[in-house]
């Protein structure tokens, strides 16, 4: 069961930024800093793809409302990535069944994704963009720091990830009313765009009807 802390930590981090997790693991494995990284994550094409997607997320994640759209698209991608990375780590170590590791990584990634997406919805109720930039930067640094720490001390890193996950879920419960307000505002904007498009399609009417 020695790989379980690493699987849990990678799952938590995947729910925040899945591409950063794949990129960091691949770099650590390719440079020889870790022997637990499977070769499939060290491939050049995987590293390039993860790097490009990480840059895309780094930009989209800092733009109000765009970040929530990005999160919606990644509701499936992040848990799936957490499950795949967890299964690959288990397969490399042989200390945990791959199916169990995939379940741990995927479910942890799903929970942390909900925390991230919900927090962004709450932040987007603020009219200024600086909180999005600050939060996104903190998330990127946090994922990078905890994955790096997990390579050398997976047990302690897993404890930190668990504490952050619990705190995030508690925070999400407190922000629930702001999230509902964000969803109402988004629904209202959609309705306004629909009405505007409908009026434009009807075109100007003559005075005689």
């Amino acid at each position: 069961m020695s790989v379980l802390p690493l699987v849990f930590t990678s799952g938590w981090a995947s729910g925040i930024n899945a591409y950063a997790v794949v990129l960091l693991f691949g770099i650590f494995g390719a440079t020889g800093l870790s022997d637990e990284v499977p070769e499939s994550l060290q491939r050049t094409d995987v590293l390039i793809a993860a790097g490009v997607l990480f840059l895309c997320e780094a930009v989209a994640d800092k733009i109000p409302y765009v970040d929530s759209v990005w999160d919606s698209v990644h509701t499936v991608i992040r848990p799936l990535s957490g499950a795949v990375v967890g299964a690959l780590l288990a397969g490399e170590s042989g200390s945990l069944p791959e199916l169990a590791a995939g379940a741990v990584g995927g479910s942890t990634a799903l929970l942390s994704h909900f925390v991230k997406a919900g927090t962004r919805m709450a932040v987007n109720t603020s009219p200024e963009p600086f909180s999005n930039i600050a939060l996104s930067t903190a998330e990127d640094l946090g994922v990078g720091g905890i994955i790096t720490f997990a390579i050398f001390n997976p047990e302690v890193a897993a404890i930190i990830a668990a504490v952050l996950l619990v705190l995030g879920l508690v925070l999400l419960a407190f922000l629930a009313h702001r999230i509902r307000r964000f969803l109402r505002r988004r629904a209202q904007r959609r309705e306004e765009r629909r009405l505007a498009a409908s009026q434009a399609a009807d075109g100007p009417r003559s005075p005689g009807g």
Side-chain angles (χ1 to χ4, degrees), residues 23 25 41 53 58 60 80 127 171 180 199 205-207:
L23 181 62
F25 273 138
L41 295 180
L53 290 170
L80 181 61
L171 176 63
R180 287 193 294 268
Q199 292 173 357
R205 295 181 179 274
S206 62

Side-chain angles (χ1 to χ4, degrees), residues 12-182:
W12 174 85
S14 293
I16 306 298
N17 193 325
Y19 305 123
V21 173
V22 174
L23 181 62
L24 286 171
F25 273 138
I27 291 174
F28 290 143
T31 55
L33 290 176
S34 175
D35 297 329
E36 297 187 10
V37 178
E39 292 184 3
S40 55
L41 295 180
Q42 304 177 36
R43 289 168 38 185
T44 302
D45 57 337
V46 172
L47 290 174
I48 292 175
V52 171
L53 290 170
F54 169 74
L55 292 176
C56 291
E57 176 150 339
V59 174
D61 215 30
K62 294 175 177 59
I63 304 174
Y65 297 104
V66 174
D67 56 356
S68 289
V69 174
W70 185 270
D71 286 337
S72 298
V73 173
H74 285 73
T75 301
V76 174
I77 297 175
R78 287 170 182 159
L80 181 61
S81 178
V84 171
V85 170
L88 289 174
L89 290 172
E92 183 74 11
S93 70
S95 61
L96 182 69
E98 296 179 27
L99 184 60
V104 171
S107 58
T108 307
L110 181 62
L111 289 175
S112 62
H113 165 75
F114 282 147
V115 171
K116 174 187 172 72
T119 303
R120 287 310 180 86
M121 287 183 183
V123 169
N124 280 332
T125 61
S126 174
E128 45 76 32
F130 304 107
S131 54
N132 298 73
I133 297 174
L135 185 57
S136 175
T137 302
E139 289 171 351
D140 293 341
L141 293 175
V143 167
I146 200 166
I147 288 297
T148 302
F149 189 49
I151 291 294
F152 303 102
N153 201 327
E155 291 81 8
V156 177
I159 293 173
I160 296 173
V163 171
L164 291 174
L165 181 58
V166 171
L167 291 177
L169 292 172
V170 172
L171 176 63
L172 194 61
F174 281 108
L175 294 176
H177 68 287
R178 298 190 68 176
I179 295 170
R180 287 193 294 268
R181 184 170 63 178
F182 169 83

